[in-house]
Amino acid sequence: MFHVFHSQEERRAYGGSCFIEFQFCKLPLQTDKKVILNCRTHWLNDSLYVHGDDQGEFFQEYSQIFNCGIYANFQTGVVDCWGINYYSPETIEPIIQKIQQNQPKNNQLLLDWLNTAKQYNGFYIFGV
């Protein structure tokens, strides 16, 4: 379900542009949430991707685990597979713990990626 691509050509060859993208937030820690939630950079090579064909399975397996994201309107809830979701650094460890407890499908690559996310200002999930 989760994919890493080493180039954008590799990503396009796999499935075009229909992906949910997990992306590290590389803005400084003190950055205002308004700035963080206006980030619109996509298709980074260190991102983790879920193909649109796997969106339903992803939502079924992970929506309640990623239920603490902040949307562009500053509301919080389950992962919005069509919009922006921001997860602060403080949410990473509890998310990892939920994944380890619940053991959803295909979680090892995601766990590895989330452990790397600890060195950043949280992460985003950009919907399809």
Side-chain angles (χ1 to χ4, degrees), residues 17-43:
S17 62
C18 187
F19 289 95
I20 295 169
E21 181 179 2
F22 284 68
Q23 185 182 111
F24 301 124
C25 178
K26 297 177 182 175
L27 296 170
L29 286 175
Q30 303 306 321
T31 303
D32 185 86
K33 292 281 191 283
K34 287 181 184 181
V35 174
I36 289 172
L37 291 167
N38 280 313
C39 177
R40 295 291 190 255
T41 304
H42 295 284
W43 314 125

Side-chain angles (χ1 to χ4, degrees), residues 48-106:
L48 186 68
Y49 296 93
V50 176
H51 193 273
D53 291 346
D54 297 323
Q55 177 180 337
E57 181 181 14
F58 169 76
F59 191 80
Q60 180 179 344
E61 293 287 323
Y62 289 95
S63 64
Q64 292 304 313
I65 291 172
F66 291 100
N67 63 357
C68 54
I70 302 171
Y71 308 140
N73 65 3
F74 293 94
Q75 298 297 307
T76 301
V78 298
V79 62
D80 177 1
C81 291
W82 299 99
I84 185 173
N85 307 264
Y86 169 69
Y87 298 84
S88 68
E90 298 79 27
T91 65
I92 297 173
E93 191 57 40
I95 289 170
I96 289 172
Q97 290 174 4
K98 285 183 194 178
I99 292 170
Q100 291 171 333
Q101 290 169 354
N102 296 331
Q103 291 295 305
K105 294 179 185 176
N106 304 307

